[in-house]
């Protein structure tokens, strides 16, 4: 794929069918066939300069689109009850495996890795009629907030070329906003779905931990990772979420619950007068950009007008979240990435074959990790090392429990918690890349949700003076996606 050209303004693809409903209406009216639509998007992705896609699975996509077109010709109408995502082209973050399709995790270490199996979520989406177009760009192994840590080049922000799209699922957010696919999958360990959704102006849902199988997701931090959808609207995010949700015997951390009914929840009119909304005082703090604060206040005004009760709440341990996260996440990452030893996964690094001895071999393997990944492996190995794990990892787990208890206490008094996704709108390319701590602080409002295992969504709620999108974060109790999606849908539709 071509790489971003910072001097050119990206042009979103201008086909008129953006959402699942619009695409299905176009299929039903025979304005375009699934095959024509898939071809059109593949061509757009191929010529795009955005860097959003790393690999296209053209053959797989065309085969699925031919089948969909045959079904449509035979049945005359989209079989939406049977296949809610019939003929819908999707992007998939390149951290999720598909048999026979190169899966790099944005890393040189997996540059040539062809997985022998398919993630459960992909099988479920394809059974529901979805068409997988290809794999989207990301920060290496999901580590980053700007998509500048990909070994295969950055991703261009879909409307402002001097800005980052957010990360680590930046390719997915940019591909959706740029019209290269109808919806996409991301993964969220500390904010990687919600942050790029907020920066690019799309909807991003991070489900409850365990609600969607992670079988086939390359692990970053196993107690935090969760797969979720990015889409143009809440309904589409709900459709993808429902299809992917449910128990999977192949993932022992996957909840035994059955399939979610999020889409159905968006169809029912919400009685706002029964909803209590908590606003954490720790989220409306100094350092929040004034335009972000204003957009959040305006959103709260809207909720109030609809009859919801707004309550100030406190999450007293949330200021420790970033510190706790960067012990837990790096510790789990150092353990998970130990398998990238250059022997498995067909990832023998370039030059390693000529290594004179084992030490030199491993040196070459390590050279294939980018600086952020190396930094985290070193930190994580230290935090878990004998004599230190009590002081760091165990302590972090204890504070993590406190953070979760704060949410449990808050949800005794409120139904939803609302606040910003990020302290600022999309920042400039290069602005934070040399200052890891500044980069880590972007996730200050998203990380607590992962530590507590809760579902949360980013919904566009305004723009700053430069036209950059601002996301509103809505958080629900564990397994409360139905109510979350219903409220988010009502809010999202306020302007239509
Ligand atoms: N930015 C955070 C990190 O770098 C979160 C990433 C994620 O959610 N995958 O770890």
């Amino acid at each position: 794929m071509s790489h971003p050209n910072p001097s050119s303004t990206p042009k979103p693809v201008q086909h008129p069918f953006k959402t699942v409903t619009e695409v299905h209406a176009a299929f039903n009216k025979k304005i375009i066939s699934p095959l024509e639509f898939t071809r059109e998007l593949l061509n757009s992705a191929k010529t795009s300069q955005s860097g959003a896609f790393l690999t296209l699975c053209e053959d797989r996509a065309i085969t699925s689109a031919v089948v969909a077109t045959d079904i449509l010709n035979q049945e005359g109408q989209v079989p939406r009850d049977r296949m809610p995502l019939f003929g819908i082209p999707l992007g998939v973050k390149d951290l999720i495996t598909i048999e026979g399709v190169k899966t790099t995790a944005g890393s040189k270490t997996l540059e040539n890795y062809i997985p022998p199996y398919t993630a459960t979520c992909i099988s479920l989406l394809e059974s529901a009629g979805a068409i997988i177009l290809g794999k989207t760009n990301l920060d290496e192994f999901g580590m980053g907030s700007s998509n500048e840590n990909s070994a295969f080049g950055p991703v261009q922000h879909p409307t402002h070329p001097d800005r980052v799209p957010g990360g680590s699922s930046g390719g997915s957010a940019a591909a959706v906003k740029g019209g290269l696919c109808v919806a996409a999958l991301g993964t969220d360990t500390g904010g990687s779905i919600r942050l790029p959704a907020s920066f690019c102006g799309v909807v991003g849902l991070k489900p409850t931990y365990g609600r969607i199988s992670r079988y086939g997701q390359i692990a970053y931090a196993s107690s935090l990772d969760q797969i979720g959808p990015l889409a143009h609207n809440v309904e589409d995010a709900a459709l993808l979420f429902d299809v992917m949700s449910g128990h999977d015997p192949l993932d022992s951390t996957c909840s035994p619950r059955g399939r979610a009914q999020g889409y159905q929840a968006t169809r029912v009119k919400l009685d706002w007068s029964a909803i209590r909304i908590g606003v954490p005082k720790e989220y409306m703090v100094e350092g929040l950009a004034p335009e972000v604060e204003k957009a959040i206040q305006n959103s709260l005004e809207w909720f109030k007008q609809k009859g919801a009760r707004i309550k100030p709440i406190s999450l007293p341990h949330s200021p420790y979240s970033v510190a706790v996260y960067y012990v837990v996440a790096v510790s789990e990452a150092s353990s998970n990435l130990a398998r990238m030893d250059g022997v498995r996964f067909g990832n023998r690094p370039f030059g390693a074959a000529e290594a004179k001895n084992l030490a030199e071999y491993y040196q070459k393997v390590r050279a294939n990790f980018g600086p952020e990944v190396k930094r985290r492996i070193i930190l994580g190995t230290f935090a878990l090392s004998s004599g230190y794990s009590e002081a760091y990892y165990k302590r972090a787990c204890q504070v993590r429990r406190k953070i979760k208890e704060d949410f449990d206490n808050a949800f005794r008094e409120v139904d939803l918690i609302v606040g910003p996704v990020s302290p600022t709108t999309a920042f400039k390319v290069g602005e934070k890349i040399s200052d890891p701590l500044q980069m880590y602080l972007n996730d200050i409002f998203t990380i607590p949700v992962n530590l507590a295992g809760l579902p949360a969504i980013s919904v566009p709620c305004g723009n700053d003076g430069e036209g950059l999108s601002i996301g509103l974060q809505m958080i629900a109790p564990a397994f409360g996606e139905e109510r979350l999606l219903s409220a988010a849908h009502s809010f999202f539709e306020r302007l239509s």
Side-chain angles (χ1 to χ4, degrees):
M1 302 290 99
S2 1
H3 281 304
N5 171 1
S7 59
S8 73
T9 304
K11 289 184 206 65
V13 179
Q14 285 310 326
H15 62 74
F17 330 114
K18 280 205 169 81
T19 64
V20 173
T21 301
E22 287 165 5
V23 174
H24 281 174
F27 288 166
N28 282 337
K29 289 186 200 138
K30 310 276 177 276
I31 297 171
I32 195 164
S33 75
L35 183 57
E36 287 161 348
F37 189 51
T38 299
R39 282 222 169 100
E40 195 177 293
L41 293 194
L42 281 170
N43 283 339
S44 305
K46 253 189 247 172
T47 50
S48 165
Q49 298 277 310
S50 68
F53 273 97
L54 290 176
T55 304
L56 292 173
C57 23
E58 224 175 325
D59 291 348
R60 192 182 187 100
I62 295 291
T63 306
S64 307
V66 167
V67 172
T69 304
D70 281 351
I71 294 176
L72 189 63
N73 287 341
Q74 272 164 33
E75 302 194 16
Q77 291 283 300
V78 167
R80 192 158 166 161
D81 287 346
R82 207 167 77 239
M83 288 192 247
L85 296 171
F86 180 84
I88 298 298
L90 303 179
V92 174
K93 185 178 187 177
D94 204 16
L95 198 63
I96 298 172
T97 59
I98 303 178
E99 183 184 350
V101 178
K102 190 164 72 170
T103 300
T104 67
S107 181
K108 275 230 162 256
T109 55
L110 292 180
E111 199 174 7
N112 303 310
Y113 174 52
I114 311 281
Y117 68 107
T118 297
T120 300
C121 63
I122 301 294
S123 308
L124 290 169
L125 290 167
E126 288 189 324
S127 304
I131 294 173
I132 308 299
L133 288 182
K135 311 298 293 294
T136 56
N137 205 344
L138 70 158
D139 287 301
E140 188 173 1
F141 290 107
M143 297 177 185
S145 305
S146 64
N147 222 120
E148 292 165 295
N149 293 341
S150 167
F152 306 109
V155 173
Q156 194 170 57
H157 187 282
T159 54
H160 291 64
D162 61 330
R163 305 293 166 138
V164 300
S168 62
S169 314
S172 289
V176 173
K177 185 68 180 180
L180 302 178
C181 55
V182 175
L185 298 191
T187 65
D188 193 312
T189 306
S192 280
I193 290 176
R194 289 160 287 160
L195 187 73
S198 172
F199 280 9
C200 293
V202 297
V203 171
L205 172 69
K206 180 256 172 222
T208 306
Y209 181 75
R211 197 71 186 89
I212 290 175
S213 168
R214 289 181 296 124
Y215 178 74
Q217 186 218 305
I218 296 175
Y220 163 9
S222 309
S223 76
L224 299 160
D225 294 344
Q226 190 52 224
I227 293 171
L230 295 105
H232 285 290
N233 62 18
V234 176
E235 272 174 48
D236 289 0
L239 277 174
L240 266 77
F241 165 66
D242 287 354
V243 166
M244 293 188 287
S245 66
H247 182 58
D248 178 12
L250 297 173
D251 173 3
S252 62
T253 63
C254 191
S255 152
R257 290 179 187 235
R259 191 160 155 163
Q261 300 293 327
Y263 179 73
Q264 196 47 38
T266 66
R267 307 291 83 207
V268 180
K269 197 168 179 319
L270 184 69
D271 174 11
W272 278 105
S273 68
I275 304 288
R276 299 159 302 170
I277 293 179
V279 183
K281 72 171 188 324
E282 293 80 6
Y283 279 35
M284 303 304 273
V285 284
E286 235 179 274
L288 194 59
E291 286 166 308
V292 174
E293 187 178 350
K294 180 123 194 9
I296 304 299
Q297 293 298 359
N298 289 344
S299 309
L300 292 174
E301 238 355 272
W302 185 87
F303 293 125
K304 223 188 267 172
Q305 274 170 18
K306 295 300 277 184
R309 273 169 293 163
I310 312 284
K311 270 184 94 139
I313 58 160
S314 177
L315 300 169
H317 296 90
S318 62
Y320 306 111
S321 297
V322 173
V324 168
Y325 175 85
Y326 278 98
V327 174
V328 173
V330 299
S331 298
E332 293 181 12
S334 76
S335 162
N336 278 325
L337 293 186
R339 75 191 71 165
M340 303 299 160
D341 56 6
V343 177
R344 286 166 270 208
F345 308 109
N347 56 343
R348 189 174 292 272
F350 177 73
E354 298 87 61
K356 286 194 257 336
N357 53 43
L358 209 55
E360 194 184 306
Y361 177 80
Y362 278 114
Q363 199 183 353
K364 285 180 192 275
V365 171
R366 283 193 294 269
N368 276 350
F369 283 125
E372 184 59 33
V373 175
K374 279 190 203 158
R375 180 179 298 125
R376 293 185 188 208
I377 293 174
I378 292 167
L379 273 172
T381 309
F382 174 73
L384 289 179
S385 59
S386 130
Y388 290 101
S389 68
E390 293 273 313
Y392 293 104
Y393 189 71
K394 194 164 164 218
R395 269 270 189 82
C397 291
Q398 286 164 339
V399 183
R400 178 178 185 177
R401 173 142 290 275
K402 294 274 173 213
I403 290 165
K404 182 176 179 306
E405 284 168 5
D406 285 351
F407 280 106
D408 293 344
N409 291 335
F411 282 127
R412 278 193 258 281
E413 291 179 25
V414 298
D415 304 294
L416 293 172
I417 294 175
V418 160
V421 171
S422 162
T424 65
T425 51
F427 49 89
K428 291 219 161 84
V429 173
E431 190 180 322
K432 300 191 180 181
I433 196 70
S434 54
D435 187 345
L437 280 183
Q438 277 307 313
M439 191 69 96
Y440 297 170
L441 285 171
N442 280 303
D443 300 324
I444 189 160
F445 303 132
T446 49
I447 278 174
V449 169
N450 299 73
L451 290 170
L454 303 176
I457 192 164
S458 172
V459 183
C461 71
N463 292 298
D464 70 7
E466 294 187 53
L468 286 159
S469 176
I470 299 169
L472 179 78
Q473 180 170 216
M474 304 169 84
I475 309 166
F479 302 102
E481 278 92 348
E482 281 82 358
R483 179 174 285 172
L484 178 68
L485 288 162
S486 162
H489 173 69
S490 170
F491 177 71
F492 184 81
E493 293 290 300
R494 74 198 180 286
L495 304 174
S496 65

